[in-house]
Amino acid sequence: MTVFIMPLTILWWSVWYPGAEPGGGSYIAQRMLASKSEKDALGGTLFFNVAHYVLRPWPWILVGLASLIVYPQLSDIQKAFPHVDPKLIGHDLGFPAMLRFLPAGWIGLMLGGLVAANSSTILTHLNWGASYLVHDFYRRFLSPDKPEQHYVLAGRLATVILFFASSGMVFLLDTAAESFNLMLQVGAGTGLLYLVRWFWWRVTAWCEIVAMISSFAVSVLFLVLNKSGIHFTSAQQLIMTISFTTACWLATAYVGPQTDKAALVNFYRKVHPAGPGWNPIRAEAGPITAQRDNIPLALAGWVSGCIMIWSALFTVGNYLYGRTEYAVALAAVFAVSAFVVIRVVGKLWK
């Protein structure tokens, strides 16, 4: 249920996850804004999806499959590492247990890569969080007229505070799986908001704030309940969090503060969002902003893009497994779907 049915039916549209945000998010925006033109941003995003989902997973998958042969049972991992606390022995140890087969030079390279990846992620989020606290909150609402040196110092203090606050979470979590599930819980229900905001003018910044606060509060509540002996499955927690968060931000969209009409009109003239959800703003923007988006064509591009990524992923896998016939058939599907994506992009670009 949690591994297959939930992601296929609910998670892809309802849950925010770093780097794979429904409707796009800050990770994707950073890559696109770093491009020299809109066309380069589009091409770079398409290339990232192919590189990220087609090429990068296979070293992990092959090592994971090999670990099933080397360590058929969890007891085999315990025998190979007798000094590891038995409470920590789980299926997620299969990958690190395979590191013992790397020679000295390669294991050093792997260790350096893991440290670099961990450090870059931590530093990125500390800087990101500090920018939110200082630039978007402290400077805007509490102390708007200080010199730049003051805000630099405030940013450094915010970074230190965030580091210790996040480090304190370690004492509430027992495994990496708990942190992963907590991250999914915190983002549960916000994904739909990030999709709908492109198609409905009522979605405001207050909706996003309420969604983040409500999903975080419910996630912490479930964490406390689990520690108290009241357990819910991951699927149950996700469904309840999504339902509660969605109800909160929908209510905020109707009864909360509305975005200034002038700002909405300016946004519409720049972005030209499609769909009936923008009809009131479209009417105020005037006839100069004719509808340019084509939702059916965009949906065709989305479906063909998904087929392109998945067929390419399994083309590589079947080739590595030696199943040439399947690899050739999937490569043909990839070529056709990629052609459709290119044609759709060309039509939408015009």
Side-chain angles (χ1 to χ4, degrees):
M1 174 83 173
T2 305
V3 174
F4 184 72
I5 302 298
M6 288 286 290
L8 195 64
T9 58
I10 296 177
L11 295 188
W12 70 266
W13 57 265
S14 63
V15 174
W16 176 92
Y17 185 78
E21 304 94 332
S26 300
Y27 286 80
I28 299 172
Q30 287 181 44
R31 299 188 190 105
M32 298 183 79
L33 292 172
S35 305
K36 65 179 181 180
S37 70
E38 227 176 305
K39 190 173 183 180
D40 291 302
L42 179 60
T45 303
L46 288 173
F47 172 76
F48 164 77
N49 279 279
V50 173
H52 180 68
Y53 292 107
V54 176
L55 301 179
R56 198 168 83 150
W58 281 109
W60 305 339
I61 295 171
L62 293 176
V63 172
L65 292 174
S67 71
L68 296 176
I69 299 172
V70 178
Y71 307 106
Q73 304 293 331
L74 292 179
S75 57
D76 297 310
I77 298 180
Q78 182 69 75
K79 291 177 184 177
F81 302 93
H83 302 295
V84 175
D85 187 345
K87 295 179 181 178
L88 300 178
I89 299 297
H91 296 289
D92 56 347
L93 276 187
F95 189 91
M98 293 294 289
L99 296 179
R100 65 194 291 254
F101 296 104
L102 287 174
W106 283 103
I107 197 169
L109 183 63
M110 174 64 77
L111 180 61
L114 290 172
V115 171
N118 185 59
S119 300
S120 68
T121 302
I122 291 174
L123 295 175
T124 296
H125 285 82
L126 287 176
N127 288 332
W128 199 1
S131 72
Y132 279 145
L133 290 176
V134 176
H135 182 71
D136 296 328
F137 176 71
Y138 177 73
R139 183 172 189 167
R140 183 176 178 181
F141 297 108
L142 301 181
S143 184
D145 299 319
K146 301 290 184 180
E148 290 299 319
Q149 292 86 346
H150 175 84
Y151 299 119
V152 171
L153 178 61
R156 291 171 177 170
L157 291 175
T159 302
V160 173
I161 293 171
L162 283 173
F163 176 79
F164 283 105
S166 58
S167 299
M169 288 292 293
V170 172
F171 299 101
L172 300 176
L173 304 170
D174 295 325
T175 64
E178 282 192 19
S179 63
F180 179 77
N181 289 331
L182 179 61
M183 186 158 53
L184 286 180
Q185 290 290 340
V186 170
T190 59
L192 180 62
L193 166 69
Y194 296 140
L195 276 172
V196 173
R197 64 183 174 179
W198 298 105
F199 302 100
W200 192 28
W201 69 273
R202 280 188 177 274
V203 177
T204 66
W206 284 107
C207 293
E208 298 190 26
I209 293 171
V210 168
M212 287 187 286
I213 292 175
S214 58
S215 63
F216 180 77
V218 175
S219 302
V220 173
L221 175 62
F222 279 127
L223 183 63
V224 173
L225 291 176
N226 286 335
K227 296 295 181 182
S228 304
I230 304 174
H231 299 288
F232 294 92
T233 66
S234 298
Q236 290 172 332
Q237 292 182 38
L238 281 171
I239 291 173
M240 286 188 281
T241 306
I242 290 168
S243 301
F244 180 75
T245 302
T246 302
C248 288
W249 73 256
L250 278 175
T252 305
Y254 283 103
V255 303
Q258 298 296 317
T259 304
D260 181 64
K261 279 289 178 66
L264 289 171
V265 169
N266 288 335
F267 174 81
Y268 180 82
R269 286 174 174 167
K270 177 177 286 189
V271 179
H272 296 271
W278 282 90
N279 281 343
I281 308 302
R282 190 178 293 120
E284 294 215 13
I288 191 172
T289 56
Q291 187 74 25
R292 295 191 302 185
D293 285 345
N294 187 325
I295 292 182
L297 190 61
L299 289 175
W302 168 57
V303 172
S304 58
C306 291
I307 295 173
M308 179 186 75
I309 296 298
W310 282 102
S311 59
L313 173 68
F314 291 111
T315 296
V316 176
N318 281 284
Y319 174 77
L320 292 174
Y321 295 158
R323 299 193 290 222
T324 308
E325 297 83 1
Y326 287 107
V328 171
L330 287 167
V333 174
F334 166 75
V336 172
S337 56
F339 175 77
V340 173
V341 170
I342 293 172
R343 290 299 301 270
V344 168
V345 169
K347 287 183 176 294
L348 290 176
W349 193 259
K350 290 178 183 180

